[in-house]
């Protein structure tokens, strides 16, 4: 099998590459990544040692580059992780989200059609459904629910999902889509809740909690997401959408307090700051489809996953210390300086 992983220098894509290299030593894996602020080549250092792995720097929206690559590599499967992925950045500057997340997806699908790819898999998010109220724990999103995205990020992902389904219906491109809840684990860029709180707590810096901290996210350890995608690309039905969730809903404040407790740091580090505009209240997914059809279930419990994640950030300081200098510090000042 010849597989293209886009966005593989980012958080989930890199974890997926390591998962696949270990599980399928006979597959050829090519990573195409633009290396934006969120992509880091040092993340793939160990992957570079595998002969069946190749890294290409490039933009998924660059049609000439993408067509050349597809012609050369003759991919069987394309998995599109590449995206602008952070809600707060999409509120500041939406345009690049449309270019990468929508146009980039279209270019990859055009190439997949032209060069006869057998499966195009789109990595999407639970955020396309919008949010749920905090006082209705009985409600969970199902795959055929209406799309009601709230942020420019989630709207761009919803637009891409619709385009993927249109390419299935119109051109019979063999597609699948997965919509996953909030991931955590190694190599996550420290602008996202869990790594940001771990690193700030380790550095005795304030922990900026938006609003009251009562918003709820469903957390999944990243390797459980990788395993679900592996099942979908091999056994999932064409044209289908699969929800992937950790079945682990937590209020943000609970997550932050758990991190402080694990690191033996005081709760006085918590600072409640101005809320995110349009802040989604709660995400929760009904995952019965993937459980019944593909026999998938998340394996890593939150208690275990958060301990592993904290340990990883403690033992891989050189990875994130490089990242939190430069552009990240400017972003941090812009985002949190006057909040
Ligand atoms: P990330 O921001 O860590 O990584 C994104 C990667 O894409 C980076 O390596 C970046 O350099 C690359 N990239 C960005 N624009 C590109 C372009 N134009 N061409 C090529 N490469 C480009 O993101 P992540 O958290 O790993 O998310 C990966 C995917 O999973 C995204 O599609 C995201 O929407 C989806 N997702 C993420 C979560 C989550 O909790 N992180 C949950 C559900 C779905
Ligand atoms: P985030 O990791 O940005 O993921 P998403 O918005 O895609 O779910 O945020 C997770 C939750 O944590 C979200 O409710 C916003 C909140 N949050 C904070 O309270 N403080 C922060 O500094 C960040 C980055 C997020």
């Amino acid at each position: 099998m010849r597989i293209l992983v886009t966005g593989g220098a980012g958080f989930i894509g890199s974890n997926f590459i390591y998962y696949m290299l270990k599980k399928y030593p006979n597959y050829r894996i090519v990573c195409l990544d633009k290396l934006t602020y969120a992509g880091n080549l040092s993340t793939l250092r160990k992957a570079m040692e595998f002969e069946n792995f190749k890294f290409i720097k490039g933009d998924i929206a660059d049609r000439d580059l993408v067509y050349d690559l597809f012609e050369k590599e003759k991919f069987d499967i394309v998995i599109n992780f590449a995206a602008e992925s952070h809600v707060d950045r999409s509120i500041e500057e939406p345009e690049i989200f449309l270019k990468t997340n929508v146009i980039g997806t279209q270019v990859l699908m055009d190439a997949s059609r032209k060069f006869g790819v057998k499966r195009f898999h789109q990595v999407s998010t639970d955020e396309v459904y919008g949010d749920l109220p905090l006082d209705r724990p009985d409600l969970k999103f199902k795959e055929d629910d209406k799309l009601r995205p709230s942020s420019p990020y989630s709207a761009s992902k919803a637009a891409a999902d619709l385009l993927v389904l249109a390419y299935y219906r119109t051109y019979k491109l063999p597609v699948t889509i997965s919509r996953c809840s909030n991931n955590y684990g190694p190599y996550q860029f420290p602008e996202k809740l869990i790594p940001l709180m771990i690193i700030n707590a380790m550095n005795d810096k304030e922990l900026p909690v938006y609003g009251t901290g009562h918003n709820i996210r469903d957390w999944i350890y990243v390797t459980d997401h990788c395993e679900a995608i592996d099942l979908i690309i091999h056994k999932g039905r064409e044209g289908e959408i699969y929800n992937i969730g950790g079945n682990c809903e937590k209020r943000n404040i609970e997550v932050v307090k758990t991190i402080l407790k694990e690191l033996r740091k005081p709760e006085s580090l918590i600072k409640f700051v101005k809320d995110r505009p349009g802040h989604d209240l709660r995400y929760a997914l009904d995952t019965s489809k993937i459980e019944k059809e593909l026999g998938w279930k998340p394996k890593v419990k939150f208690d275990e996953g958060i301990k592993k994640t904290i340990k990883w950030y403690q033992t891989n300081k050189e990875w994130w210390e490089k990242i939190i200098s430069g552009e990240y510090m400017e972003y941090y000042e812009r985002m949190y300086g006057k909040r």
Side-chain angles (χ1 to χ4, degrees), residues 14 35 40 70 78 110 116-117 131 136 146 181 288 294 335:
S14 60
L35 297 181
N40 206 311
F70 275 61
V78 172
D110 285 344
V117 163
D131 65 350
R136 289 288 309 274
K146 216 164 123 184
S181 60
S288 50
L294 304 178
M335 195 55 61

Side-chain angles (χ1 to χ4, degrees), residues 86-88 91 210-211 217 274-280 339:
H86 192 39
V87 173
D88 292 320
I91 295 168
Y210 298 166
R217 296 294 182 264
K274 195 162 154 254
D275 211 351
R276 171 188 280 172
H279 196 174
D280 280 340
R339 205 156 180 152

Side-chain angles (χ1 to χ4, degrees), residues 7-13 32-40 58-61 80-85 100 123-126 153 157 180-183 188-189 191-192 225:
F11 165 45
I12 308 173
L32 171 65
D33 196 297
K34 190 179 167 187
L35 297 181
T36 67
Y37 78 92
N40 206 311
D59 189 333
I60 56 165
N80 183 27
F81 290 91
E84 287 293 333
S85 70
T100 290
V123 180
S124 187
T125 164
D126 60 356
Y153 161 67
K157 294 295 289 187
C180 190
S181 60
N182 284 59
N183 286 224
Q188 187 167 29
F189 194 83
E191 67 191 351
K192 301 272 168 65
H225 186 185

Side-chain angles (χ1 to χ4, degrees), residues 229-288:
I229 293 177
D230 176 19
L231 278 171
I232 296 169
I233 59 174
H234 289 101
K235 296 189 182 138
R237 286 182 296 137
E238 283 175 17
E240 293 294 318
I241 300 166
Y242 294 91
N243 283 346
I244 306 170
N247 199 7
C248 169
E249 289 180 50
K250 294 201 179 296
R251 292 187 188 276
N252 294 337
I253 191 69
E254 201 184 328
V255 172
V256 171
K257 285 185 179 172
T258 304
I259 292 169
L260 285 170
K261 198 162 164 227
E262 280 298 322
L263 286 167
R264 296 195 178 80
K265 298 283 182 176
E267 288 187 5
S268 55
L269 283 176
I270 295 173
K271 186 184 174 204
F272 291 96
V273 300
K274 195 162 154 254
D275 211 351
R276 171 188 280 172
H279 196 174
D280 280 340
L281 293 171
R282 170 175 169 251
Y283 301 140
L285 289 174
D286 179 327
T287 55
S288 50

Side-chain angles (χ1 to χ4, degrees), residues 139-151:
L139 297 179
K140 285 175 188 255
F141 288 121
K142 286 187 85 88
E143 285 83 353
D144 53 5
D145 278 344
K146 216 164 123 184
L147 303 187
R148 288 171 52 249
S150 318
S151 70

